[in-house]
Amino acid sequence: MEILGATLRVCVDDLEKAIPFYERLAGGRALRFGRGGVQVAAVGCFLLMSGPESELEVLRKVAATIAVTDVEDTRHTLAELGADIIAGPVATPAGRNLIARHPDGAVYEYVDRRA
């Protein structure tokens, strides 16, 4: 398992209002997509999310998104280390992901860029 980087997850009330701030801060354009009822904008190292509170409540429990080379390899490593795989691996617009709870209780999303 190789960790490539991390993305900070930010829940916002108004995605359209938040995007210009984060684009200037990160020096790049937002990549937008939807996931269920949640609208998402990836801007640099930030993942902005806006939507119904019932869905954001679940997303807020995930501390960060961690980019890895291969989600399946990561799943095996996490399981060997005693993490609970909560969801996935599943396909996403950007690759595959899984959600894992570490032995200390922290919850993270792991993603790869595979087709």
Side-chain angles (χ1 to χ4, degrees):
M1 177 180 123
E2 181 181 350
I3 295 176
L4 303 174
T7 302
L8 305 171
R9 301 163 64 91
V10 182
C11 294
V12 297
D13 292 329
D14 186 335
L15 190 63
E16 296 308 315
K17 185 176 177 182
I19 286 174
F21 171 84
Y22 283 94
E23 285 180 333
R24 294 254 344 246
L25 182 65
R29 303 284 299 156
L31 170 64
R32 300 170 188 234
F33 57 94
R35 184 95 170 139
V38 176
Q39 293 302 306
V40 180
V43 187
C45 67
F46 300 99
L47 190 63
L48 310 176
M49 300 174 287
S50 184
E53 185 55 38
S54 60
E55 293 188 44
L56 292 178
E57 180 182 350
V58 173
L59 296 174
R60 283 189 179 100
K61 294 177 181 178
V62 179
T65 298
I66 300 170
V68 295
T69 53
D70 186 299
V71 161
E72 191 60 38
D73 180 47
T74 299
R75 183 182 70 79
H76 291 295
T77 300
L78 289 167
E80 287 174 5
L81 294 172
D84 293 322
I85 307 305
I86 299 170
V90 297
T92 73
R96 297 176 302 168
N97 82 336
L98 66 79
I99 308 291
R101 181 180 301 107
H102 291 188
D104 63 8
V107 177
Y108 294 93
E109 174 187 35
Y110 291 85
V111 299
D112 66 22
R113 300 282 182 220
R114 295 185 152 217

